[in-house]
Amino acid sequence: MLKLFQYNWQVRDEWFNWCAKISVDELQCPRVGGRGSILRNLFYIVDVEQAWIKGLKGKTEFHYNFNDYSSLKSIRELSIKCRPEVEEYIQNWSNNIENHKLDEFTYGEVIHHVIAHEIHHIGQLSIWAREMGLVPVSANLIGRGIYD
């Protein structure tokens, strides 16, 4: 489980670096699909990940407000801020809790959804990059050193 989260974080960080080379206008430009812009997609990925993990930890689910984190820098800082709590939870993941329930979902469903959710929205960033005539961040899992 941890390896897939590490993959997502590595790709996310590469997207933050990629976005740093793009104009603010392009990052905010309304786009079809996803959350409507590159910045909103990145924010949404971070926010949903931390919210689901809070729920799995038995905490009250909390969602950040995009208007408070509407710049690339602030979204990257939010990602850095939220990651330790997520990472700690994932490092302590046990298959014994896979069938525990969070509302109508099992913990296993939720944790796998969180992984797939980010991959889905990162794919949207790749499409938008290509629409801009740019090379997107590679989504390849192989060759990233995660399984070394």
Side-chain angles (χ1 to χ4, degrees):
M1 201 74 60
L2 179 61
K3 299 281 188 197
L4 291 173
F5 274 87
Q6 290 171 332
Y7 159 78
N8 277 349
W9 296 330
Q10 192 178 87
V11 172
R12 183 191 308 168
D13 290 343
E14 289 174 17
W15 273 106
F16 282 134
N17 292 336
W18 184 95
C19 288
K21 301 171 191 165
I22 305 301
S23 73
V24 173
D25 287 343
E26 283 288 358
L27 296 176
Q28 295 173 337
C29 179
R31 302 191 185 276
V32 175
R35 302 311 285 183
S37 76
I38 292 171
L39 287 181
R40 285 185 181 274
N41 247 35
L42 286 169
F43 170 80
Y44 183 66
I45 289 166
V46 173
D47 186 50
V48 167
E49 179 184 77
Q50 67 80 30
W52 276 115
I53 297 303
K54 281 190 183 345
L56 291 174
K57 291 177 74 175
K59 294 182 174 181
T60 302
E61 188 176 314
F62 173 81
H63 286 280
Y64 290 92
N65 185 327
F66 176 74
N67 293 329
D68 296 331
Y69 298 91
S70 58
S71 72
L72 180 62
K73 182 178 186 245
S74 63
I75 297 168
R76 185 189 297 235
E77 289 171 354
L78 181 63
S79 179
I80 291 166
K81 173 184 164 184
C82 293
R83 191 170 300 173
E85 181 177 14
V86 174
E87 189 168 16
E88 177 192 14
Y89 183 79
I90 300 306
Q91 285 176 335
N92 293 311
W93 176 264
S94 167
N95 289 338
N96 297 334
I97 64 169
E98 185 110 1
N99 292 316
H100 290 189
K101 289 285 195 170
L102 178 66
D103 300 321
E104 68 269 25
F105 308 111
T106 68
Y107 277 39
E109 285 176 304
V110 169
I111 207 72
H112 289 100
H113 170 75
V114 171
I115 294 165
H117 178 263
E118 180 154 353
I119 294 167
H120 166 74
H121 285 289
I122 288 296
Q124 292 169 329
L125 297 180
S126 294
I127 291 167
W128 294 337
R130 287 188 183 99
E131 288 175 351
M132 292 187 289
L134 301 172
V135 176
V137 169
S138 172
N140 284 339
L141 175 82
I142 295 173
R144 290 185 163 274
I146 293 171
Y147 286 92
D148 293 345

